[in-house]
């Protein structure tokens, strides 16, 4: 199948974790996403997914809901509780198409839910869309932080100028007051 990777996205800047207990699915998606240029790690169960996510800090996790041991929902719950991984985006992949399963996934913090079977292009489209949104949000947040820093610096300069002007005004008032006192209290005539 032909790759549908686009030129305008820097795939290599993103690390993905693919979690699926089906070795064929795991290999297919890991290979496809690697061929597009993503850095890809894989895990076949929830426990190894959590461990890998804590160590590698992926940008996004493709997580099957049906896993041996702890299922995908519990895996997501554990990832979202951990300070090291709670910001990691999760896309659930499942054969379960019930609305309540999808809602449960979103309530646990997933950003998307894909029902199997699906085309590899769908995975790529959803992954790149969420990563682009995340990158845009990060860039926007950084710009806001930068502009906030600039505003704080400008406000501090303005406050210093106001204090300097207030000090100069007070010095002028004090000088005028002394001059007036000298004039008013002088025994000599001043012309």
């Amino acid at each position: 199948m032909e790759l549908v990777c686009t030129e305008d996205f820097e795939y290599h800047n993103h690390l993905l974790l693919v979690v699926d207990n089906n070795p064929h699915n795991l290999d297919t998606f890991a290979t496809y996403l690697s061929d597009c240029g993503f850095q890809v790690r894989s895990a076949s169960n929830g426990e190894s997914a959590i461990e890998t996510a804590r160590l590698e800090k992926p940008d996004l996790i493709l997580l099957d809901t049906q896993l041996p041991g702890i299922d995908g929902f519990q895996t997501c719950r554990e990832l979202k509780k951990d300070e090291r991984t709670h910001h990691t985006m999760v896309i659930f992949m499942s054969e379960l198409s019930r609305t309540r399963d999808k809602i449960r996934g979103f309530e646990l913090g997933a950003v998307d839910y894909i029902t199997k079977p699906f085309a590899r292009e769908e995975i790529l489209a959803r992954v790149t869309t969420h990563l682009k949104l995340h990158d845009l949000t990060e860039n926007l947040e950084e710009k806001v932080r930068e502009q906030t820093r600039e505003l704080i610096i400008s406000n501090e300069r303005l406050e210093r100028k106001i204090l300097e002007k207030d000090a100069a005004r007070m010095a002028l008032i004090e000088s005028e007051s002394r001059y007036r006192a000298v004039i008013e209290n002088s025994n000599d005539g001043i012309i």
Side-chain angles (χ1 to χ4, degrees):
M1 178 173 275
E2 186 178 325
L3 291 176
V4 291
C5 311
T6 61
E7 298 282 328
D8 67 337
F9 188 71
E10 295 184 23
Y11 296 95
H12 64 277
N13 289 341
H14 297 284
L15 174 62
L16 306 180
L17 174 58
V18 180
V19 186
D20 198 313
N21 64 323
N22 180 320
H24 175 72
N25 288 346
L26 197 58
D27 183 56
T28 299
F29 290 116
T31 300
Y32 180 67
L33 293 167
S34 292
D35 288 347
C36 280
F38 285 109
Q39 300 173 53
V40 180
R41 303 296 182 271
S42 57
S44 60
N45 61 56
E47 292 87 354
S48 63
I50 292 168
E51 183 178 329
T52 301
R54 287 175 178 161
L55 292 173
E56 305 255 357
K57 296 182 179 56
D59 298 303
L60 187 139
I61 299 172
L62 291 164
L63 180 60
D64 189 6
T65 59
Q66 304 297 306
L67 297 172
I70 63 171
D71 67 9
F73 295 115
Q74 184 61 33
T75 301
C76 184
R77 185 177 292 111
E78 294 299 319
L79 290 167
K80 295 300 178 180
K81 284 192 320 189
D82 191 317
E83 182 67 31
R84 296 167 287 185
T85 56
H86 78 278
H87 290 298
T88 305
M89 292 181 289
V90 174
I91 296 177
F92 277 116
M93 305 182 297
S94 178
E95 292 174 357
L96 304 175
S97 61
R98 298 181 305 230
T99 301
R100 74 168 187 238
D101 291 322
K102 292 177 183 179
I103 291 171
R104 181 177 177 200
F106 291 124
E107 287 174 344
L108 290 171
V111 295
D112 211 341
Y113 195 104
I114 305 171
T115 305
K116 295 179 184 180
F118 40 74
R120 294 183 305 177
E121 295 84 358
E122 178 185 10
I123 293 289
L124 181 64
R126 289 178 188 259
V127 165
T128 55
T129 296
H130 287 290
L131 289 171
K132 284 177 182 179
L133 286 172
H134 182 264
D135 289 351
L136 288 171
T137 301
E138 286 288 312
N139 289 339
L140 181 59
E141 288 174 355
E142 180 54 37
K143 285 181 182 181
V144 167
R145 283 190 293 271
E146 183 180 319
Q147 288 181 346
T148 300
R149 281 191 297 270
E150 290 173 8
L151 282 173
I152 289 171
I153 291 168
S154 293
N155 280 340
E156 289 171 351
R157 286 184 191 141
L158 185 58
E159 286 175 1
R160 278 195 300 274
K161 285 183 180 182
I162 290 171
L163 289 174
E164 288 170 4
K165 285 185 177 187
D166 283 348
R169 188 172 56 83
M170 292 305 291
L172 180 60
I173 290 171
E174 188 177 309
S175 173
E176 287 176 351
S177 177
R178 279 194 308 257
Y179 179 73
R180 183 175 292 119
V182 167
I183 299 294
E184 290 174 353
N185 294 322
S186 174
N187 291 332
D188 297 328
I190 301 176
I191 300 177

